[in-house]
Amino acid sequence: MARRTTSEEILAELRAPFDESPVRRIGVWSLEKLATLQLYLPAFARACQRAGGGYYVDGFAGPGRASVRGAPEPYFVHGSPLIALRAKPEIERCIFLEIDPHKLAALEGRCAHYGERALLRRGDVNVHLVPLLREEVPGWAPCFCFLDPTGVELKWQTVAGIASLPGRRRKPELMILFPLEMSVIRLLTVDRPMRDEDKSRVNAMFKDDSWWDIYQSRVKGEIDKAEAKRLYLDKYSKDVKGLGYKSVESRQVLAYVGAGKKRQPRYHLVFATDHPVGEDIMSGIFKRDFVLDLPVSRQPSLFDL
Ligand SMILES: C[S@@+](CC[C@H](N)C(=O)[O-])C[C@H]1O[C@@H](n2cnc3c(N)ncnc32)[C@H](O)[C@@H]1O
């Protein structure tokens, strides 16, 4: 059996040098989603070699590099697009969509080295991603789609559109960052009525309005916060499964918030696939522990995770 990559090895692979272009500032907890990609994409690429090549699609691409907030000295890491382009064996084609022209320009500079393997587009994920997939990803090609919003920007119609693309041998694999604690729970206010604009944003993120029943039970005190969170995540995962995926799994990501302090839940990664190999590999990654606080905590782990 192959030796498991340690957290320190993952961090070393994620680390990027300084350059002059803009970067995203990220919390140390963001490293876990990047580590998940770092571990999964080489396995995806290997499986794709047998199928004749694979596609990586990033609907919220960002500028391609990030700096970790709270690190005592500048600490840069590759963003998701560069993790995909650097994966070995190579992923045949990587498609990036980004709404912000400045971030897109920074990403273009960082992708220049990869030539035609990188296809970059400026656009809105909820308008342009499904047509882009239809035009650029052949129906025979395995496809992994990473959807990494900051808040509730990802509409259900987009997720459903990806899952129901016509003429595909298998549905694209989906890895969705579900920003439950980072964003959703903050909009679902219990001590005051929700704002109308937040109601419509949450409504657009979920498949239907049954989230409202969970919210009402929480407002009336029939369920506590932990139960409400469990039900929101459960609903989202079940609805993704309902799009016809054979397997949907999720993993909660807890944030390091300081030495000796209890880690806080931040977001969940929801992975959907039709492929038993993809399911097996991601399941192994989701079950493992990471210690990725090192850039901020400066405390190497005493044991290998
Ligand atoms: C969390 S960041 C993505 C980080 C990136 N996936 C990474 O790991 O390096 C979200 C990005 O999505 C972009 N964005 C926000 N709304 C968008 C939309 N509707 N369509 C496309 N991109 C969007 C933001 O400008 C931002 O760069």
Side-chain angles (χ1 to χ4, degrees):
M1 213 171 103
R3 187 180 66 79
R4 197 164 77 156
T5 315
T6 66
S7 292
E8 287 183 30
E9 287 165 343
I10 294 169
L11 282 172
E13 268 297 303
L14 286 177
R15 199 151 185 186
F18 170 78
D19 67 13
E20 300 290 339
S21 295
V23 294
R24 239 171 75 72
R25 306 238 313 134
I26 58 170
V28 74
W29 51 86
S30 292
L31 295 177
E32 197 164 316
K33 72 183 175 198
L34 300 178
T36 303
L37 288 176
Q38 171 93 11
L39 292 175
Y40 184 74
L41 291 179
F44 169 75
R46 257 191 307 281
C48 293
Q49 279 181 322
R50 273 170 252 139
Y55 281 61
Y56 169 90
V57 176
D58 204 324
F60 295 84
R65 192 163 300 184
S67 74
V68 179
R69 271 200 309 265
E73 53 209 45
Y75 195 106
F76 298 99
V77 291
H78 295 293
S80 50
L82 273 293
I83 294 173
L85 284 167
R86 287 161 49 86
K88 290 274 176 315
E90 285 184 356
I91 298 174
E92 179 128 328
R93 199 118 205 262
C94 298
I95 300 178
F96 308 126
L97 189 65
E98 169 58 51
I99 203 164
D100 179 318
H102 304 292
K103 290 180 184 150
L104 188 69
L107 182 61
E108 262 161 3
R110 290 177 175 130
C111 291
H113 169 73
Y114 297 93
E116 298 207 339
R117 279 183 59 222
L119 173 70
L120 291 89
R121 288 275 189 275
R122 181 173 172 208
D124 180 338
V125 73
N126 294 310
V127 178
H128 299 109
L129 189 66
V130 172
L132 188 59
L133 278 158
R134 212 181 289 127
E135 280 159 31
E136 298 293 342
V137 183
W140 57 262
C143 177
F144 175 95
C145 190
F146 182 41
L147 299 168
D148 179 21
T150 320
V152 293
E153 306 92 280
L154 177 63
K155 294 187 178 168
W156 181 261
Q157 80 194 27
T158 305
V159 179
I162 297 168
S164 58
L165 279 163
R168 290 200 49 82
R169 200 191 287 168
R170 279 183 203 272
K171 293 184 190 313
E173 292 189 329
L174 288 172
M175 189 161 89
I176 302 175
L177 183 142
F178 184 63
L180 185 57
E181 290 82 4
M182 265 163 52
S183 171
V184 182
I185 285 293
R186 291 178 190 199
L187 302 181
L188 297 165
T189 46
V190 173
D191 51 351
R192 59 183 191 281
M194 272 183 86
R195 299 185 318 167
D196 284 346
E197 64 193 87
D198 291 339
K199 274 189 213 161
S200 33
R201 291 165 75 203
V202 173
N203 227 10
M205 186 195 69
F206 281 112
K207 178 186 166 210
D208 53 41
D209 59 8
S210 62
W211 64 272
W212 182 254
D213 300 336
I214 306 170
Y215 175 63
Q216 286 305 311
S217 299
R218 172 71 188 119
V219 170
K220 289 182 200 146
E222 293 163 1
I223 54 173
D224 65 10
K225 187 174 176 184
E227 177 64 358
K229 286 198 314 185
R230 191 188 66 71
L231 291 171
Y232 292 129
L233 176 66
D234 208 42
K235 169 181 168 44
Y236 195 80
S237 301
K238 279 195 179 129
D239 287 342
V240 174
K241 188 123 201 280
L243 295 171
Y245 282 97
K246 294 206 176 89
S247 150
V248 176
E249 268 197 82
S250 68
R251 172 183 169 103
Q252 182 180 53
V253 175
L254 300 170
Y256 171 86
V257 285
K261 294 195 183 141
K262 194 166 176 256
R263 286 169 185 271
Q264 297 298 319
R266 260 315 133 110
Y267 58 90
H268 300 251
L269 294 173
V270 176
F271 176 67
T273 185
D274 270 352
H275 204 297
V277 175
E279 179 186 349
D280 247 32
I281 294 164
M282 193 61 96
S283 178
I285 298 171
F286 275 1
K287 281 193 188 88
R288 69 166 283 175
D289 286 316
F290 296 103
V291 181
L292 301 170
D293 321 324
L294 192 68
V296 172
S297 70
R298 305 297 294 269
Q299 297 284 314
S301 65
L302 295 175
F303 48 96
D304 173 32
L305 285 173

